[in-house]
Each structure stands twice: as structure tokens, then as C-alpha cells.
Amino acid sequence: MSNYEIVYILNPVLSEKQIEDVTKKIKKLLTSEKGKVVNHENWGLKTLSYPIENKNSGFYNLIEFIAEGNIISDFEVELRRDESIMRYLIVKLDKHALDWAEKRRKRLKVKEKTK
């Protein structure tokens, strides 16, 4: 089992419910293949550097997960089929990236507590 993270951009015309549904679908795809979701972050609506599908903004999300490497190709096929996902990037995390991700999670927890 390896550690991965996916950052995906959703179409900006989606409602909050639709965004939540896509995220649930992605998590379900991962867990159905014996993967484990470690962390999910909703980064919100951001302006894109360049237009994608004639859109200038999109909803960014990040999911960290643990899974076998052989499920990634099937997972990518499902992501390409979903029309609400404009772009995605899946990265395998090495030990340095894992350390950084852990620090980011801790920093976010501290931020949430101070609110």
C-alpha cells in the first residue's frame, strides 16, 4: 500500500450538493477498492491560471489516500468519465511529502481550533 494524493478541479457552475456528491463518489471509489481516505480538504473556488473548457474558475479539492498501485489506472478512468471534474492530478507521496502533508494537517487543525 502506498500513499497518494489527488487534487481535482470541479466545474464552477456546480451547487454545493453536487460538489459534495462528487467528493462522496470519489471517496466511495477509493474505499470500494480497499483504499483508505486519510484526509480531505476543500480549498474552495479559485481563479484558474488559464481557461479550461471556457471556464476561468473552479472548485479545488484535495484528498490524501492509501491504496494499492494497481487501482490507480481504473480510478483515473472513472475520473475521466465524470464530466464535472475538469482536471485532476494524482501524485504518489514519498517520505518527504508525507512529512509535509502531516505538518499541513496539523496546521489546519490548529487554524480550525482558533476560529
Side-chain angles (χ1 to χ4, degrees), residues 10-69:
L10 297 173
N11 197 320
V13 299
L14 297 177
S15 68
E16 289 291 324
K17 172 96 171 82
Q18 291 169 319
I19 293 169
E20 189 177 306
D21 290 344
V22 172
T23 301
K24 283 180 183 175
K25 176 185 168 188
I26 291 173
K27 288 180 180 179
K28 185 178 177 188
L29 284 170
L30 291 170
T31 55
S32 68
E33 296 291 334
K34 309 243 185 322
K36 179 184 172 203
V37 175
V38 177
N39 185 34
H40 170 250
E41 297 174 20
N42 182 350
W43 293 346
L45 185 67
K46 305 270 186 198
T47 303
L48 303 173
S49 298
Y50 56 89
I52 300 173
E53 300 172 6
N54 295 322
K55 308 281 190 296
N56 292 318
S57 61
F59 290 102
Y60 280 68
N61 283 274
L62 173 130
I63 296 178
E64 292 177 53
F65 62 97
I66 300 170
E68 294 289 336

